[in-house]
């Protein structure tokens, strides 16, 4: 379950807005999905920030860490550097470090071989607007659910 479930529950569904069936391609749909994933991460980071947590960077591992488009989009949407540590087993290593409480500065990213993706500042206003739409669509979906449930 995604982090957005914490506020909106598991019944929330995906929505697409703005694509033209007669013109837009599978590539446009793919880009929309990449953007939606990044906007979802921003939503979770914003919620954590509201509870006093701050971030200076985000580390990514797993399959999406190999997707350059996602990494640059994520960095731009969240306005933070996104780092991909070297190695292909970072999820297992991270779980082990968390389980033992043995996390040192060198294990938190920025080490040798770490790929760093910076936000594209020229796209900040565009993604701020997309994020506002994302939040509105999420709230609208809750209204629609209420209508269908007779509330």
């Amino acid at each position: 379950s995604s982090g957005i479930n914490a506020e909106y529950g598991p019944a929330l569904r995906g929505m697409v807005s703005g694509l033209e069936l007669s013109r837009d391609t599978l590539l446009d749909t793919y880009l929309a999905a990449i953007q939606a994933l990044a906007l979802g991460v921003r939503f979770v980071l914003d919620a954590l920030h509201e509870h006093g947590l701050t971030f200076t960077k985000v580390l990514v591992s797993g399959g999406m860490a190999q997707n350059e488009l996602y990494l640059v989009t994520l960095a731009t949407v969240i306005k933070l550097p996104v780092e991909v540590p070297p190695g292909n087993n970072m999820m297992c290593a991270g779980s082990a470090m968390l389980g033992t409480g043995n996390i040192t500065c060198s294990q938190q990213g920025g080490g040798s071989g770490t790929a760093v993706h910076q936000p594209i500042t020229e796209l900040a206003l565009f993604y701020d607007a997309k994020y506002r739409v994302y939040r509105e669509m999420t709230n609208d979906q809750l209204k629609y659910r209420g209508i269908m449930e007779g509330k």
Side-chain angles (χ1 to χ4, degrees), residues 6-148:
E7 185 170 337
Y8 292 105
L12 204 58
R13 298 291 182 251
M15 295 173 62
V16 176
S17 175
L19 294 181
E20 296 178 30
L21 294 178
S22 63
R23 191 190 81 172
D24 291 324
T25 65
L26 185 58
L27 182 59
D28 297 308
T29 305
Y30 174 75
L31 179 58
I34 293 291
Q35 291 171 338
L37 291 170
L39 292 164
V41 172
R42 180 169 170 178
F43 178 85
V44 172
L45 292 178
D46 282 355
L48 293 170
H49 182 73
E50 288 174 14
H51 288 89
L53 296 172
T54 58
F55 303 90
T56 58
K57 62 186 172 188
V58 169
L59 274 67
V60 177
S61 66
M64 291 304 281
Q66 299 170 28
N67 186 319
E68 289 292 319
L69 176 61
Y70 173 70
L71 297 169
V72 172
T73 302
L74 178 61
T76 304
V77 167
I78 65 175
K79 301 177 185 178
L80 292 171
V82 171
E83 296 185 2
V84 180
N88 59 2
N89 237 350
M90 290 309 296
M91 292 180 78
C92 290
S95 297
M97 288 186 288
L98 284 173
T100 63
N102 186 20
I103 300 176
T104 65
C105 291
S106 65
Q107 294 166 322
Q108 293 179 11
S112 176
T114 297
V116 180
H117 303 271
Q118 297 293 337
I120 300 172
T121 55
E122 296 82 8
L123 294 176
L125 292 176
F126 173 77
Y127 279 113
D128 285 346
K130 274 207 177 275
Y131 185 60
R132 287 194 308 273
V133 170
Y134 175 88
R135 294 297 304 262
E136 286 296 320
M137 288 178 68
T138 302
N139 290 329
D140 287 346
Q141 194 174 135
L142 293 176
K143 289 182 219 171
Y144 305 151
R145 185 177 5 171
I147 292 168
M148 295 308 294

